[in-house]
């Protein structure tokens, strides 16, 4: 009896000491314990997602992949799997499970190993949010105290919700939603019982028990989870047996990108980090760009196809590498796949190795392990590349091109046979020989009405080069600058009928003792020629004389109206030939002024940003175009446009020359003061008159369609679109280092560039390839053949469902019949006359019949006459 009494006293003393010790630990650790109340409003780290304007996912940024779900959105069996495996008494304890601890301790004493974990789900949650994984006695005590606090402020379901969204489950996946996507490419509600058990088994060792790392370990762990679920009564014997019999099929699933636009994604990411800092990566924000998915895809396809076509016509540069040489033992298919595993895939270009060479076909094994055949039509283009301007003879056999053991690039190219009255369109695919192009490209399209970027291509492939040529590459624009030169001259009084002398120019530099002799591209000269034809045919010497008409200082100052930086515009007459350097985005911004009727809009890419709750936290408010019709219907808008215009023109720091003429009649100070509060809708400033913009558009339309008697401009290839509401301008720099085409259609303006990143390279020229027949490009490379095909194919998609727009003639534009040769009034029909547009008051008043021989344009006195 005394023994029992002493034992009871000892027990009480031990319990008292134990409780006192625990309470002492609590008092000691209390100041350092976190405030668990913040779990009520916890914001889980979720990645930044970038979308197109129409909601297609472009990219995801952030170290952690997480798809937040509520407990109700998770399959009950998935939740049961975690409870059965990690904490079977979850709904019975208060954060720390003494029975679980005792059971784990007993198992460890019997086996000598810690076979069962003693941490509850709540303790794991405490560790994930507030503690490290460092295994120390102090950390375990803190973990227990925090868990007890958590249980006091959160319900069991709230704890499960946080735990199942927070827990790390391998391969950058956090939470069950991300794990389902990473391992199985499914939403959680699509998982089988077997797959749920795989995920529920991951917390024990997410890096080594996942099915990507080891199917065997993942299978063993899955079976343990299924057994626990059966013993806890969550599933039946039949369910367990069925799930155990299923093989685990898993691979790494990247975030499902719906729209390939990596240059857009990177620009959006940089904008978000600049605005929101590093929080942009973790706050679960969704950023919606202005990019249109259909137009982005069309731009990508058009730009890459055109670049590959340019590259192929200049010849085949040979294999990337030699895997085995003749006489050496060839690799089998599995070995080839292993060898190519680290090689990138550039869009549709797939690395492959040649295994067999026949007379006019070869067999290759691709990076994916597919064995495919390249027939003669897919490789006969491959003349040997010698220089950018020289190619070898056309090949006649496959052996002249390829050898077994070579690593090459192939492309699965689709071919569509157009539909007929009796058959539907048929699309087939075939493999062709290709190569990574040496040149590069860019493309950007935007809305001229508000500056929204609709499509952007920064280069051939983002994996190959992350440099965004659409926004970062400053290149000479060649003849693409000429419309702005002509616009300045129109502002100074030139008309589309003004005769400009198309004759050689020699300018002597007395200081350097040299002569500048600019030439026309084709080496031909036509004498006095109307301005419309000069721009349509991109006649160089005429552009220089147009610049002289406007004045160099005046023109440079005038060009800043289009958003161009003065520092990028050389103070010299070669400016008229494109010596100025701009980015593609700057150039398309400038052309938008002509397209929209004279208003300066600024490009923008970010349309809106939502927070993790789907609430709008940012919305773009770009300046929009309000033309004369809009202003006549909205007097308040008219005042706001006038304000914007006054502010824009006030910043023009003109050099010492005559001030720029006004755009339009300026409102009085009294009128301006009527606009007091900043408008909810912002309006773009009018930087050139609507009449000036109309006349330049007319010349740009002539660049495609010409006019009777002069049917072709340099952009004639765009006639295949069959529309008269489009216009544009080619651009080619000296030695064909850069090729451009920039133009407009209804509600869209776009530019494309092709060239080499290395300025020492030229685009060169090609000779005729007899293997490819008559329908091919041969000769020099310039804007019309090297760049414009991208623009044409893009516009074919962009304008497909847009009816051709009728010509809208602004007020104060008159149409009169003129004589083709003199630009004077014509009083008779016939091929020698044509109708032309003029700003009212600038139309000719003298009849062509009255022009004497002395008054006609004389080549010898042309320098004085423009």
């Amino acid at each position: 009896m005394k023994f029992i009494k002493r034992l009871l006293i000892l027990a009480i003393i031990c319990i008292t000491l134990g409780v006192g010790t625990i309470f002492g630990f609590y008092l000691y650790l209390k100041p350092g314990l976190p405030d668990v109340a913040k779990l009520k409003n916890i914001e889980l780290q979720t990645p930044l997602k970038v979308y197109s304007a129409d909601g297609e996912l472009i990219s995801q940024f952030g170290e952690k992949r997480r798809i937040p779900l509520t407990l109700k959105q998770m399959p009950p069996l998935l939740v049961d799997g975690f409870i059965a495996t990690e904490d079977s008494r979850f709904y019975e304890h208060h954060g720390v499970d003494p029975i679980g601890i005792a059971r784990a301790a007993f198992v460890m004493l019997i086996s000598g190993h810690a076979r069962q974990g003693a941490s509850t789900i709540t303790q794991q949650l405490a560790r994930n949010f507030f503690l490290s994984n460092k295994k120390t006695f102090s950390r375990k005590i803190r973990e227990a105290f925090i868990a007890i606090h958590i249980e006091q402020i959160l319900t069991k379901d709230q704890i499960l919700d946080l735990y199942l969204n927070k827990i790390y489950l391998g391969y950058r996946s956090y939470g069950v939603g991300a794990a389902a996507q990473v391992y199985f490419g499914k939403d959680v509600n699509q998982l089988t019982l077997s797959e749920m058990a795989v995920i529920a088994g991951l917390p024990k060792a997410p890096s080594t028990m996942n099915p990507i790392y080891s199917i065997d370990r993942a299978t063993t762990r899955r079976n343990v989870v299924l057994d626990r679920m059966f013993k806890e009564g969550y599933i039946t014997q039949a369910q367990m047996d069925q799930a155990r019999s299923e093989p685990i099929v898993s691979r790494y699933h990247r975030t499902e990108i719906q729209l390939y636009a990596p240059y857009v994604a990177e620009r959006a990411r940089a904008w978000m980090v600049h605005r929101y800092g590093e929080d942009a990566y973790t706050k679960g924000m969704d950023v919606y760009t202005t990019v249109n998915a259909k137009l982005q895809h069309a731009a990508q396809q058009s730009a890459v196809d055109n670049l590959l076509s340019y590259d192929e016509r200049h010849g085949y540069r040979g294999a990337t590498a030699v895997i085995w040489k003749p006489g050496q033992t060839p690799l089998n298919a599995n070995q080839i796949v292993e060898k190519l595993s680290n090689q990138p895939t550039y869009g549709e270009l797939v690395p492959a190795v040649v295994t067999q060479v026949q007379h006019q076909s070869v067999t290759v094994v691709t990076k994916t392990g597919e064995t495919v055949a390249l027939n003669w039509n897919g490789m006969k283009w491959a003349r040997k590349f010698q220089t950018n301007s020289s190619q070898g003879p056309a090949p006649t056999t496959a052996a002249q091109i390829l050898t077994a053991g070579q690593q090459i690039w192939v492309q699965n190219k689709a071919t569509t046979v157009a539909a007929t009255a009796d058959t539907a369109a048929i699309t087939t695919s075939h493999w062709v020989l290709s190569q990574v192009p040496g040149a590069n490209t860019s493309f950007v399209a935007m809305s001229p009405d508000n500056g929204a970027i609709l499509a952007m291509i920064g280069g051939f492939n983002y994996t190959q080069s992350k440099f965004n040529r659409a926004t970062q590459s400053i290149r000479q624009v060649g003849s693409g600058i000429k419309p702005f030169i002509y616009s300045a001259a129109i502002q100074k009084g030139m008309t589309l009928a003004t005769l400009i002398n198309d004759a050689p120019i020699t300018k002597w530099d007395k200081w350097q003792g040299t002569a500048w002799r600019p030439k026309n591209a084709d080496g031909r000269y036509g004498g006095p020629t109307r301005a419309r034809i000069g721009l349509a045919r991109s006649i160089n010497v005429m552009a220089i004389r147009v610049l002289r008409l406007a004045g160099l200082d005046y023109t440079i100052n005038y060009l800043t109206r289009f958003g161009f930086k003065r520092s990028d515009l050389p103070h010299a007459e070669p400016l008229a030939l494109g010596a100025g350097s701009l980015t593609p985005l700057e150039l398309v911004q400038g052309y938008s002024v002509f397209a929209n009727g004279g208003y300066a809009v600024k490009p923008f890419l970010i349309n809106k940003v939502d927070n993790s709750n789907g609430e709008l936290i940012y919305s773009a408010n770009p300046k929009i175009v309000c033309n004369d019709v809009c202003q006549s219907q909205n007097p308040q808008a008219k005042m706001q446009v006038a304000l914007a215009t006054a502010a824009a023109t006030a910043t023009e720091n003109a050099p010492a020359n005559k001030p720029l003429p006004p755009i339009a009649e300026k409102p009085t100070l009294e009128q301006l003061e009527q606009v007091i509060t900043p408008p909810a809708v912002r309006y773009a400033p009018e930087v050139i008159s609507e009449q000036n913009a109309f006349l330049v558009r007319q010349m740009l339309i002539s660049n495609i369609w010409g006019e009777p008697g002069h049917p072709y401009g340099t952009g004639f290839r765009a006639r295949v679109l069959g529309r008269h509401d489009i216009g544009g301008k080619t651009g080619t720099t000296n030695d064909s280092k850069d090729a451009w085409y920039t133009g407009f259609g209804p509600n869209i303006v776009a530019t494309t560039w092709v060239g080499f990143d290395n300025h020492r390279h030229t685009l060169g020229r090609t000779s005729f390839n007899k293997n490819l027949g008559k329908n091919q490009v041969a000769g020099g490379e310039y804007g019309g053949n090297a760049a414009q095909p991208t623009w044409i194919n893009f516009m074919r998609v962009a304008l497909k469902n847009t009816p051709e727009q009728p010509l809208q003639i602004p007020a104060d534009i008159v149409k009169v019949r003129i004589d083709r040769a003199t630009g004077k009034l014509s009083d008779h029909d016939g091929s020698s006359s044509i109708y032309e547009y003029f700003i009212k008051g600038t139309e000719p008043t003298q009849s062509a019949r009255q022009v004497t021989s002395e008054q006609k344009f004389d080549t010898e006195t042309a320098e004085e006459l423009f």
Side-chain angles (χ1 to χ4, degrees):
M1 198 66 185
K2 289 182 179 180
F3 174 75
I4 295 175
K5 185 177 180 180
R6 290 174 180 173
L7 188 62
L8 183 60
I9 292 171
L10 180 63
I12 293 171
I13 292 172
C14 288
I15 291 172
T16 302
L17 288 173
V19 172
T21 301
I22 293 173
F23 184 70
F25 266 113
Y26 174 73
L27 292 176
Y28 174 72
L29 297 174
K30 182 179 179 180
L33 293 179
D35 178 13
V36 298
K38 66 182 182 180
L39 288 177
K40 287 185 175 182
N41 301 307
I42 196 70
E43 188 175 352
L44 294 172
Q45 291 187 12
T46 48
L48 166 68
K49 292 183 178 179
V50 181
Y51 293 91
S52 67
D54 36 1
E56 294 200 7
L57 181 63
I58 295 175
S59 189
Q60 177 174 290
F61 296 96
E63 293 183 4
K64 298 180 179 181
R65 287 182 63 175
R66 180 181 278 115
I67 303 173
L69 301 170
T70 64
L71 199 60
K72 290 181 179 179
Q73 292 174 311
M74 302 176 194
L77 282 179
L78 177 61
V79 179
D80 295 340
F82 277 92
I83 292 175
T85 309
E86 296 296 319
D87 189 359
S88 61
R89 286 174 36 81
F90 173 70
Y91 284 103
E92 299 170 29
H93 63 68
H94 298 285
V96 177
D97 184 11
I99 296 176
I101 294 172
R103 183 173 60 243
F106 178 76
V107 171
M108 185 177 69
L109 288 173
I110 297 299
S111 65
H113 300 284
R115 296 183 179 274
Q116 292 188 8
S119 291
T120 64
I121 283 177
T122 314
Q123 285 176 274
Q124 292 182 50
L125 184 68
R127 182 166 64 246
N128 283 330
F129 272 105
F130 301 113
L131 303 171
S132 69
N133 288 321
K134 188 176 181 181
K135 294 182 179 181
T136 64
F137 181 73
S138 174
R139 195 269 289 168
K140 290 297 292 184
I141 294 296
R142 287 165 57 86
E143 179 185 291
F145 288 147
I146 294 171
I148 294 170
H149 276 208
I150 290 174
E151 292 271 352
Q152 292 171 349
I153 66 168
L154 297 180
T155 66
K156 289 290 187 179
D157 282 355
Q158 288 174 324
I159 293 170
L160 268 181
D161 189 303
L162 280 174
Y163 173 75
L164 293 174
N165 279 299
K166 173 72 174 177
I167 190 168
Y168 175 62
L169 296 173
Y171 280 91
R172 293 178 53 234
S173 63
Y174 290 79
V176 296
Q181 286 289 341
V182 166
Y183 296 113
F184 303 109
K186 297 179 178 181
D187 293 335
V188 288
N189 55 16
Q190 298 174 317
L191 296 171
T192 66
L193 175 58
S194 171
E195 292 165 343
M196 292 180 199
V198 169
I199 292 174
L202 291 173
K204 183 177 179 64
S207 298
T208 58
M209 287 187 173
N210 70 73
I212 298 175
Y213 179 83
S214 172
I215 285 289
D216 291 340
R217 290 186 180 184
T219 302
T220 300
R221 183 60 179 165
R222 177 202 65 181
N223 294 342
V224 169
V225 173
L226 291 170
D227 183 63
R228 291 291 304 149
M229 293 179 73
F230 170 67
K231 289 179 178 178
E232 293 295 327
Y234 294 119
I235 59 175
T236 65
Q237 179 77 48
Q239 286 177 301
M240 181 179 70
D241 293 342
Q242 172 63 32
R244 287 171 68 102
S245 68
E246 294 176 7
I248 298 174
V249 179
S250 175
R251 63 177 178 82
Y252 181 69
H253 293 80
R254 299 183 182 275
T255 302
E256 187 177 350
I257 301 302
Q258 298 168 300
L259 177 65
Y260 181 76
Y263 293 100
V264 172
E266 170 54 25
R267 193 167 173 88
R269 181 206 65 79
W271 187 93
M272 289 293 291
V273 172
H274 177 75
R275 184 177 181 89
Y276 297 104
E278 294 299 312
D279 283 349
Y281 295 122
T282 60
K283 296 297 184 181
M285 291 184 277
D286 294 334
V287 53
Y288 289 83
T289 66
T290 57
V291 166
N292 176 281
K294 182 184 75 170
L295 299 185
Q296 177 67 26
H297 179 75
Q300 179 71 28
Q301 196 71 46
S302 302
V304 170
D305 285 352
N306 178 64
L307 185 63
L308 291 174
S309 295
Y310 160 83
D311 196 66
E312 287 179 1
R313 61 179 176 260
H314 285 260
Y316 183 56
R317 293 186 295 277
T320 302
V322 176
I323 307 303
W324 70 83
K325 296 179 180 179
Q328 294 180 332
T329 303
L331 273 59
N332 60 37
N334 290 334
Q335 291 171 323
I336 289 174
V337 171
E338 176 66 24
K339 189 75 175 178
L340 297 176
S341 61
N342 292 324
Q343 290 294 320
T345 297
Y346 296 133
E348 297 178 357
L349 265 61
V350 180
V353 173
V354 179
T355 56
Q356 293 181 356
V357 179
Q358 293 84 34
H359 176 58
Q360 287 191 334
S361 66
V362 300
T363 303
V364 304
V365 174
T366 69
K367 178 181 178 178
T368 59
E370 189 176 0
T371 300
V372 299
L374 310 182
N375 60 32
W376 187 239
N377 284 334
M379 67 176 76
K380 65 183 182 181
W381 62 268
R383 298 181 293 176
K384 184 178 180 181
F385 172 87
Q386 294 174 337
T387 69
N388 289 336
S389 297
S390 176
Q391 304 82 43
T396 56
T397 66
Q400 294 174 337
I401 306 169
L402 299 171
T403 303
Q406 290 181 335
Q407 179 187 326
I408 61 172
W409 297 90
V410 295
Q411 180 186 8
N412 195 6
K413 184 173 289 188
T415 303
T416 300
V417 179
T420 65
D422 302 319
T423 62
I426 300 175
T427 300
T428 59
S429 62
H430 60 286
W431 288 89
V432 300
L433 174 66
S434 192
Q435 62 186 353
V436 178
N440 225 303
T441 189
S442 69
F443 181 93
V444 60
M446 64 174 270
S447 166
D449 298 323
N450 62 4
I453 296 174
L454 304 174
M456 179 189 292
I457 309 297
F460 166 67
N461 187 272
Y462 189 76
T463 302
Q464 180 201 34
S465 170
K466 295 175 174 54
F467 180 65
N468 189 339
R469 292 156 189 83
T471 61
Q472 297 175 294
S473 183
I474 302 174
R475 306 289 298 218
Q476 288 191 352
V477 296
S479 296
I481 202 71
K482 289 177 182 175
F484 306 99
I485 307 297
Y486 276 68
S487 176
I490 289 173
Q491 190 76 1
K492 273 294 193 75
M494 187 186 79
T495 73
L496 304 194
T498 298
L499 290 180
I500 308 295
N501 197 20
D502 176 16
I505 292 175
T506 299
K507 183 178 181 181
W508 182 257
D509 188 331
K510 63 181 180 179
W511 301 107
Q512 297 189 19
T514 58
W516 179 50
R517 295 186 177 90
K519 298 178 180 179
N520 289 339
D522 59 6
R524 294 181 292 183
Y525 303 88
T529 304
R530 285 175 288 118
R532 178 191 282 265
I533 301 303
L535 185 59
R537 293 173 56 192
S538 196
I539 300 174
N540 287 340
V541 294
M542 288 182 65
I544 295 167
R545 289 190 167 96
V546 169
L547 174 64
R548 290 176 176 177
L549 166 62
L552 180 58
D553 288 336
Y554 177 90
T555 299
I556 291 175
N557 195 40
Y558 183 85
L559 263 57
T560 62
R561 296 184 176 195
F562 299 89
F564 305 152
K565 295 186 286 288
R566 198 183 305 274
S567 58
D568 292 333
L569 305 173
H571 193 270
E573 289 187 342
L575 171 66
L577 306 182
S581 297
L582 304 169
T583 67
L585 187 60
E586 288 173 328
L587 186 61
V588 81
Q589 176 185 358
Y591 270 77
S592 71
V593 176
F594 300 133
N596 65 30
Y599 299 84
V601 294
K602 290 187 176 181
F604 71 102
L605 181 66
I606 307 303
N607 188 36
K608 68 172 185 173
V609 179
D610 291 346
N611 66 15
S612 59
N613 296 321
E615 299 165 338
L616 183 68
I617 59 175
Y618 170 83
S619 180
N621 185 22
K623 292 182 178 180
I624 64 174
V625 170
C626 183
N627 59 22
D628 287 352
V629 174
C630 166
Q631 293 179 46
S632 67
Q633 298 170 349
N634 186 346
Q636 182 76 358
K638 183 175 183 179
M639 288 298 100
Q640 292 165 8
V641 171
L643 270 176
T645 301
T649 55
T651 61
E652 293 175 341
N653 299 315
N657 70 327
K658 294 181 180 180
L660 289 172
I663 302 303
E665 184 178 348
K666 294 291 190 299
T668 65
L669 180 60
E670 190 175 301
Q671 290 173 317
L672 290 175
E673 287 175 346
Q674 294 176 11
V675 184
I676 300 172
T677 58
V681 177
R682 303 193 303 158
Y683 295 103
E686 186 180 15
V687 293
I688 66 173
S689 71
E690 187 175 4
Q691 294 74 24
N692 188 309
F694 172 81
L695 295 180
V696 175
R697 286 201 305 276
Q698 283 294 301
M699 291 187 283
L700 295 177
I701 292 171
S702 292
N703 181 259
I704 294 173
W705 288 100
E707 65 176 32
H710 294 280
Y712 295 109
T714 57
F716 71 90
R717 289 172 177 80
R719 293 161 70 118
V720 299
L721 296 175
R723 307 177 63 108
H724 288 77
D725 57 354
I726 58 174
K729 184 67 188 71
T730 52
T732 310
T733 60
N734 283 345
D735 299 322
S736 294
K737 291 185 177 181
D738 303 270
W740 300 79
Y741 195 80
T742 311
F744 63 87
N747 304 314
I748 194 167
V749 59
T751 189
T752 182
W753 166 86
V754 174
F756 286 87
D757 290 332
N758 186 333
H759 290 255
R760 291 179 296 178
H761 288 287
T762 67
L763 290 170
R765 58 186 303 108
T766 59
S767 57
F768 187 79
N769 185 349
K770 67 179 182 180
N771 279 346
L772 302 183
K774 297 180 180 179
N775 297 323
Q776 62 172 302
V777 175
E781 300 283 3
Y782 48 90
N785 60 2
Q788 194 187 21
T790 297
W791 189 90
I792 292 171
N793 290 327
F794 171 81
M795 286 296 184
R796 184 177 281 117
V797 175
L799 303 179
K800 182 178 181 180
N801 298 317
T802 303
E804 183 170 335
Q805 304 298 299
L807 182 64
Q808 300 290 328
I809 302 176
D812 294 329
I813 289 288
V814 295
K815 184 178 181 181
V816 300
R817 184 185 292 277
I818 63 169
D819 177 67
R820 289 178 182 274
T822 64
K824 303 300 182 182
L825 290 175
S826 175
D827 54 7
H828 66 278
D829 295 333
S831 60
S832 64
S833 65
I834 193 171
Y835 279 103
E836 187 56 276
Y837 294 100
F838 297 87
I839 297 175
K840 189 175 181 179
T842 66
E843 67 272 23
T845 56
Q846 187 179 24
S847 169
R849 295 175 182 268
Q850 298 174 311
V851 178
T852 64
S853 58
E854 288 80 14
Q855 292 173 309
K856 287 184 180 180
F857 211 85
D858 187 345
T859 305
E860 294 181 1
T861 60
E863 294 294 337
E864 299 176 8
L865 296 172
F866 307 149

